[in-house]
């Protein structure tokens, strides 16, 4: 029985959710028998395959690059999970939403900067969106796993349920900020 | 003041008012007054002699042709001059004295606008001088009050109201007699009567016209209501945007008190009734009964959940009767001519007449009063004169921000509370905004939602936050960046906000959206991008 | 005040006419979710989470303010009601800036509890991202408007129980916000007695004690019932 | 309720307007429910409601300061910032909106670089909107310094405004 292909990505987040994923420790071995990472920070693959069974997105959409990745994930992955509060409600990254990008640049790159203050815009630097958005406000998402980060047990529960063909109910185990 | 003294004044005033050969009546209601009609009146008044009477009067109805001057020559020939200017005073006055028609722009009086109306609420508007109580008495003013105080018991008055079939003219259409009966039955040492003159609906100005043209009518109506329900204190809650109406009401209250129609032991009976004015301060939500009460109590105009209804627990916790200006304006005629007479007018369930304010893209903007059951098409094309500049009619919006729009193919409905509700709108206070082919319905829905968003009092979540989201979605759709997902979320919000909001504002805020969706769905669909493009809005 | 009978969720129950539907439901262990309601304060009826279906009423009624009447038939949970309540929660989340992970009340917040109870795992409405001020001028307490859901418990406890009447709601519609005295800083208030009742009754991390880190703000509301008993109310 | 004896009022200054304000409160027996009437008198005489006025009203109507501020900020009519020397209030009721009020607003906002509810920097002109002044037959209508002007054309309005902004 071929393994379930899984792709993960972390957009504007702190990678805590991916770390929590690894906290499954010995259960990773059991999981590894059933799934195969085809694109992820955990592996070296650089290109997202055309079709993937399960996509897991951590982090909010706060710049053009995040947006491209989210759109690509939605196109390629049959089932998409928003993992963690940043992906679900913007969480800490979205705390800049009450200010304009201009105000953020002034505060971070101009105020009390003595040497050569410039805006972080240019070749190779993805432009910031005006507001940081949860993933499901740019692409439809199938499952939301709350938490900052969601505990390893919660992630394990979600994965095993999905692998067994059932739809998990993460709210029984976690909540925003859990 | 008893009936004989009243009739004495009536006869004296009638004799005085008939002692002239010709009569000049200048409209000094707010919109004509803003076109300097009061200066025209003053100029003519200086010339007044015993042969030719000059009087400032209330609204003559066809405001778009203001300033209006109505001239009556040898007792029956009537001429209506339109857009009268200051320099026309000379020619107009001299011609009238010679009983001739002046060579000035005239407004034909046998056009449908005047011919097809039936006036009860507006019967004195444009006839009497609003600042002269004797003029009101000459038109049987205060007859009903004195008759009621001397011959009727409170329950009989309520019975008469029940028979008349009159329903609330504020928009809800709750049977007035039933409301009076509830307040009458409530046991309390103190009860209040409130006249709701907040008239927050944009595009509605009939209450203003009545208050400015015939203020005593409202005082008499309130006094009769107070007697019927056992109240001794009354308040008229007027919006601050109507300074002229406030001024005329204050003068009328002073005059009525000096003549003994207000105060202690009115007409020698044990009935006492005092009326005061309370000013609004710019809050549409204060048109809602419980928010209005909070405002009179000097608080933020925020509604309280009902039940309990104001009829049981109202102003300062006492039983309170609240009716709209137009409702009170119908009371005196009903008591004078009897409930059965009133019930003979209108349809089976919607009795009497209704005043409508025609505005927007229509030839004759102004006030009209027609019996219930009048055909909507005739109001717009016959009385209203149709859409100007040859443009095609598209829809008429009734009921303001809580109402809906009615398209061309439904114009043959006969106006009543029921027929308008079936068409997906409501009667509302009577504002009718006519729109032509250039109006975009999604933009109109956005306009009314923006109105509800900024007028929401903020007390309950669904209305406070829901209107913001509904407005943002409508804004996106109107700008062409809305998606299919937006539209389904909008429809879910409309249901949720309409069902769970605490008061009428939130409950009816979705109506303009639902009715434009019902009749002009294609406009929404054309604006929504077809391909499933992500909802990225910078 | 007369005794009467009514049906809630098919169950025949007795009640007295001065009780609200919520009172009766509580007395019979029937759970109706509430948010702005707090035992001991006059019901506000603003959040609308406690709406229930009452036969003959055109719309759901707020159970915290609606008094029971003889023969009333009440249904507390239907699919429709649950979707309405969930949407109200989503509105509260979208209106404020509720970043739970870094909030002092994380784990001890009634809004969080409701979201979990009603399985609200994400917010479909776009966030309003309003720029809401903070007030940390008071010596012991802080006010963070980002977390405020305008339930007005603080306003009610301050005027009804403490009597200082420091708090009030200013502005209108979505611009409504909590202010002290004349919209002046809390620390400069000459009416505030620093009793801290407002902090204890605030359901979220809006009114908090200074000096608490994330997850450490725990609130105890039972002082209210105790006080009312002492006052014989 | 027992009639409260009138409080002894000490006025913040001998500015006559405080006495006018006190007269309204006195006429209503210094009752709390006269708050909105009093705020109307205050705005008509002082032009706007500042902290001193609100504190004075709160003190003598025996109403908490927070409640007075809550009421003053709830109603659209009261403003807490000084209005411009000239006021231009544009009616955005339905009839005026259908007849182009929003176009008037855009023109003014572009020309004077302020948005609705704002006052020009030199304090000359404040532009506000109001919901409906009941002059629907003269739509679009504008209230210039308290005087209703009907059937307003864009260029006439801009001409009048620039006349003020000498």
């Amino acid at each position: 029985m071929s393994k379930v292909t899984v792709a993960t990505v972390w957009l504007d987040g702190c990678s805590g959710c991916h770390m929590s994923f690894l906290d499954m420790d010995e259960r990773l071995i059991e999981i590894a028998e059933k799934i195969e990472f085809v694109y992820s920070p955990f592996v070296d693959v650089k290109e997202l395959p055309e079709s993937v069974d399960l996509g897991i997105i951590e982090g909010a959409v706060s710049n053009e690059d995040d947006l491209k990745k989210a759109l690509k994930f939605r196109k390629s992955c049959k089932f998409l999970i928003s993992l963690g509060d940043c992906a679900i409600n913007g969480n800490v990254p979205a705390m800049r939403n009450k200010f304009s990008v201009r105000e953020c640049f002034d505060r971070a790159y101009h105020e009390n900067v003595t040497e050569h203050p410039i805006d972080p815009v240019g070749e190779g630097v993805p432009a910031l969106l005006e507001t940081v958005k949860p993933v499901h406000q740019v692409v439809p998402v199938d499952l939301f796993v709350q938490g900052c980060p969601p505990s390893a047990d919660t992630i394990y529960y979600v994965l095993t349920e999905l692998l067994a063909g059932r739809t998990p109910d993460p709210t029984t185990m976690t909540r925003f900020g859990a | 003041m008893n009936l004989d003294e009243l009739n004495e004044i009536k006869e004296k005033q009638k004799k005085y008012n008939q002692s002239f050969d010709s009569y000049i009546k200048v409209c000094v209601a707010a919109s004509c007054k803003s076109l300097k009609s009061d200066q025209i009146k003053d100029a003519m008044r200086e010339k007044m002699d015993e042969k030719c009477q000059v009087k400032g009067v209330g609204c003559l109805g066809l405001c778009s042709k203001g300033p209006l001057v109505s001239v009556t020559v040898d007792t029956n020939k009537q001429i209506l001059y339109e857009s009268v200017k200051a320099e026309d005073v000379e020619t107009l006055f001299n011609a009238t004295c010679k009983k001739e028609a002046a060579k000035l722009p005239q407004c034909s009086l046998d056009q449908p606008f005047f011919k097809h109306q039936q006036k009860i609420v507006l019967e004195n508007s444009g006839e009497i001088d609003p600042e002269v109580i004797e003029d009101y008495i000459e038109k049987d003013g205060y007859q009903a009050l004195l008759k009621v105080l001397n011959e009727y018991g409170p329950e009989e008055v309520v019975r008469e109201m029940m028979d008349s079939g009159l329903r609330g003219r504020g928009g809800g259409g709750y049977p007035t007699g039933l409301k009076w009966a509830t307040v009458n039955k409530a046991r309390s040492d103190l009860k209040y009567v409130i006249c709701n003159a907040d008239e927050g609906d944009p595009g509605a100005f009939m209450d203003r016209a009545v208050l400015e043209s015939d203020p005593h009518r409202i005082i008499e109506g309130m006094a009769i209501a107070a007697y019927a329900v056992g109240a001794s204190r009354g308040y008229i809650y007027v919006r601050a945007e109507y300074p002229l109406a406030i001024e005329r009401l204050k003068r009328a209250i002073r005059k009525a008190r000096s003549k003994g129609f207000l105060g202690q032991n009115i007409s020698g009976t044990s009935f006492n009734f005092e009326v005061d004015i309370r000013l609004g301060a710019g809050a549409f939500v204060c048109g809602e009964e419980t928010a209005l009460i909070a405002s009179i109590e000097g608080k933020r105009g925020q509604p309280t959940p009902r039940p309990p209804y104001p009829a049981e627990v109202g102003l300062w916790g006492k039983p309170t009767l609240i009716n709209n200006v137009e409702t009170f304006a119908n009371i005196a005629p009903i008591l004078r001519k009897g409930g059965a007479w009133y019930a003979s007018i209108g349809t089976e369930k919607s009795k009497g007449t209704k005043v409508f304010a025609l505005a927007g893209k229509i030839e004759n903007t102004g006030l009209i009063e027609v019996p219930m059951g009048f055909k909507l098409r005739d109001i717009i094309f016959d009385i209203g004169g149709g859409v100007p500049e040859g443009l095609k009619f598209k829809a008429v919006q009734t009921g303001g921000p809580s109402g809906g729009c009615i398209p061309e193919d439904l114009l043959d409905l006969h106006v009543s509370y029921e027929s308008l509700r079936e068409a997906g709108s409501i009667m509302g206070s009577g504002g009718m905004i006519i729109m032509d082919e250039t109006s975009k319905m999604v933009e109109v829905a956005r306009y009314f939602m923006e109105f509800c968003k900024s007028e929401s009092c903020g007390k309950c979540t669904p209305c406070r936050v829901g209107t913001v989201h509904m407005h943002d979605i409508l804004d996106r759709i109107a700008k062409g960046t809305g998606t299919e997902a937006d539209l389904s979320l909008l429809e879910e919000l409309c249901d949720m906000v309409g069902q769970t909001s605490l008061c009428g504002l939130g409950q009816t805020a979705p109506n303009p959206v639902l009715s434009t969706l019902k009749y002009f769905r294609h406009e929404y669909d054309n604006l929504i991008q077809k391909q499933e493009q992500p909802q990225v809005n910078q | 005040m007369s005794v009467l009978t009514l049906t809630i969720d098919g169950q025949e129950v007795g009640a007295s006419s001065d009780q609200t539907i919520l009172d009766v439901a509580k007395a019979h262990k029937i759970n109706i979710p509430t948010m702005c309601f707090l035992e001991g304060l006059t019901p506000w009826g603003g959040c609308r989470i406690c709406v229930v279906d009452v036969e003959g009423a055109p719309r759901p009624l707020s159970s915290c303010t609606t008094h029971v009447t003889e023969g009333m038939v009440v249904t507390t949970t239907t699919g429709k009601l649950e979707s309405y309540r969930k949407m109200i929660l989503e509105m509260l989340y979208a209106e404020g800036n509720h970043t739970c992970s870094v909030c002092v009340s994380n784990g001890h917040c009634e809004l969080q509890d409701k979201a979990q109870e009603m399985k609200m795992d994400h917010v479909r409405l776009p966030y309003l991202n309003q720029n809401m001020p903070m007030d940390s001028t008071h010596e012991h307490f802080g006010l963070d408007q980002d977390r405020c859901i305008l339930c007005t418990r603080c306003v009610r406890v301050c005027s009804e129980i403490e009597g200082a009447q420091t708090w009030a709601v200013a502005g209108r519609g979505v611009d409504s916000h909590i202010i002290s005295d004349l919209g002046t800083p809390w620390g400069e208030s000459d009416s505030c007695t620093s009793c801290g009742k407002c902090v204890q009754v605030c359901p979220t991390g809006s009114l908090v004690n200074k000096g608490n880190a994330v997850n450490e703000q725990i609130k105890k509301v039972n002082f209210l019932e105790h006080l009312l008993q002492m006052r014989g109310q | 309720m027992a009639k409260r004896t009138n409080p002894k009022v000490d006025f913040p200054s001998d500015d006559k307007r405080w006495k006018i304000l006190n007269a309204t409160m006195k006429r209503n027996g210094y009752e709390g429910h006269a708050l909105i009437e009093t705020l109307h008198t205050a705005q008509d005489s002082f032009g706007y409601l500042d902290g001193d006025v609100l504190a004075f009203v709160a003190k003598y109507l025996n109403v908490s300061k927070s409640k007075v501020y809550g009421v003053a900020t709830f109603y659209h009519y009261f403003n807490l910032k000084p209005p411009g020397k000239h006021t231009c209030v544009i009616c955005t009721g339905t009839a005026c909106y259908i007849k182009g009020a929003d176009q008037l607003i855009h023109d003014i906002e572009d020309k004077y670089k302020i948005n609705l509810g704002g006052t020009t920097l030199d304090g000359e002109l404040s532009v506000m909107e109001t919901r409906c002044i009941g002059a629907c037959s003269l739509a679009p209508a504008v209230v210039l310094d308290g005087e209703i002007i009907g059937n307003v054309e864009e260029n006439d309005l801009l001409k009048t405004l620039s006349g003020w902004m000498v």
Side-chain angles (χ1 to χ4, degrees), chain B residues 31 34-36 63-64 201-205 208 239-242 277-283 285-286 295-302 316 359-361 365 433-435 439 443-444 446-448 450-451 454-455 457, chain D residues 1 27-28 31-37 40 44 63 66-67 69-78 92-100 102 129-139 146-151:
Chain B
S31 53
S34 69
L35 301 166
K36 308 283 176 288
C63 313
S64 54
D201 271 1
F205 51 95
R208 174 178 66 71
R239 63 201 304 251
E241 289 86 344
Y242 288 169
I277 289 181
R278 274 290 190 269
L279 296 188
V285 70
C286 286
S295 192
I296 291 184
E297 289 170 350
K299 299 185 197 137
R300 289 161 61 84
Q302 295 191 306
W316 293 305
K361 299 290 177 65
T365 45
I433 311 293
I434 286 82
M435 299 174 204
S439 308
E443 178 50 28
V444 168
R446 187 206 61 72
Y447 165 81
F448 280 120
E450 196 275 327
F451 179 89
S454 64
E455 293 298 333
C457 82
Chain D
M1 22 206 189
R27 187 160 37 80
N28 286 288
E31 290 287 346
H33 62 71
L35 177 56
I36 292 175
E37 305 299 308
H40 266 296
D44 296 344
V63 173
S66 59
K67 186 160 182 248
Y69 190 80
V71 168
T73 52
F74 181 84
Y75 293 99
H76 194 68
Y77 191 78
F78 300 134
T92 52
T94 326
C96 292
Y97 162 76
I98 293 279
K99 290 272 187 84
D102 46 1
E129 71 169 326
T130 178
R131 277 303 161 200
C132 180
I133 49 173
C136 307
S137 50
L138 308 171
E147 214 205 309
I148 300 176
I149 313 287
N151 305 323

Side-chain angles (χ1 to χ4, degrees), chain B residues 361-363 385-392 436-438, chain D residues 99:
Chain B
K361 299 290 177 65
I362 184 128
E363 202 50 54
V387 179
E389 292 143 21
L391 289 170
K392 203 168 142 323
D436 60 25
E437 59 199 79
T438 62
Chain D
K99 290 272 187 84

Side-chain angles (χ1 to χ4, degrees), chain C residues 14-74:
Chain C
S16 72
S17 59
D18 66 349
Q19 281 185 304
T20 63
I21 299 175
L22 187 63
D23 298 334
V24 181
K26 272 193 171 151
H28 294 80
K29 301 281 173 298
I30 299 167
N31 172 37
I32 300 177
T34 59
M35 181 58 83
C36 66
F37 177 81
L38 188 61
E39 198 62 58
L41 298 179
T42 34
W44 170 246
C47 78
R48 312 302 292 168
I49 281 187
C50 72
V51 286
V52 291
D53 281 340
V54 174
E55 221 164 72
R59 286 181 185 77
L61 301 176
S62 42
S63 55
C64 67
T65 57
T66 310
H67 283 267
V68 290
T69 55
E70 179 55 44
M72 192 187 245
V73 177
V74 178

Side-chain angles (χ1 to χ4, degrees), chain B residues 38 52 77 135 177 201 301 334 368 406 415 417 434 436 452 459 478:
Chain B
D38 50 343
C52 174
K77 190 153 157 305
D135 261 21
D201 271 1
I334 289 177
I368 62 158
I406 297 177
V415 168
Y417 290 101
I434 286 82
D436 60 25
C452 291
K459 175 170 181 174

Side-chain angles (χ1 to χ4, degrees), chain A:
Chain A
M1 208 265 289
S2 70
K3 288 189 181 180
V4 170
T5 55
V6 173
T8 82
V9 71
W10 88 59
L11 308 179
D12 189 355
C14 69
S15 82
C17 294
H18 274 74
M19 294 309 118
S20 183
F21 189 103
L22 297 180
D23 278 352
M24 282 197 267
D25 303 333
E26 71 288 355
R27 288 173 289 185
L28 282 173
I29 301 163
E30 174 208 333
I31 294 285
E33 282 150 15
K34 299 201 192 81
I35 68 168
E36 185 201 354
F37 278 97
V38 293
Y39 174 86
S40 163
F42 296 148
V43 295
D44 280 347
V45 180
K46 289 294 169 275
E47 273 314 312
L48 178 66
E50 267 311 303
S51 147
V52 179
D53 298 330
L54 174 63
I56 300 177
I57 297 183
E58 173 209 332
V61 177
S62 69
N63 64 33
E64 296 292 348
D65 183 50
D66 298 336
L67 180 57
K68 268 200 228 67
K69 283 182 183 150
L71 291 171
K72 243 193 316 180
F73 254 66
R74 181 66 266 179
K75 202 137 101 346
S76 308
C77 308
K78 294 192 197 58
F79 193 87
L80 198 59
I81 294 181
S82 278
L83 183 66
D85 284 2
C86 291
I88 297 174
N89 66 30
N91 203 14
V92 174
M95 286 171 80
R96 75 163 167 91
N97 279 356
K98 57 167 79 173
F99 311 105
S100 68
V101 169
R102 185 64 255 153
E103 282 166 309
C104 295
F105 280 173
D106 291 346
R107 180 79 180 86
Y109 296 95
H110 290 273
E111 224 170 287
N112 47 49
V113 166
T114 49
E115 280 315 311
H116 185 44
I118 57 153
D119 283 351
V121 177
E123 189 50 45
V125 178
L128 288 182
L129 299 177
E130 193 50 36
T131 56
V132 177
K133 288 191 174 29
V135 174
H136 67 278
Q137 280 191 11
V138 289
V139 288
V141 165
D142 305 308
L143 187 71
F144 300 86
V145 184
Q146 296 165 307
C148 180
S151 67
D153 302 341
T154 308
I155 298 175
Y156 177 74
Y157 157 73
V158 166
L159 281 181
T160 44
E161 286 294 295
L162 284 174
L163 289 170
R166 288 187 295 273
T167 314
D169 174 6
T171 57
T172 54
M173 298 187 62
T174 178
R175 62 176 181 184
F176 282 130

Side-chain angles (χ1 to χ4, degrees), chain B residues 174 180-181 218 221 259 283 290 300 458 507:
Chain B
Y174 189 81
W180 285 25
I218 304 306
K259 286 273 196 263
T290 56
R300 289 161 61 84
Q507 289 159 7

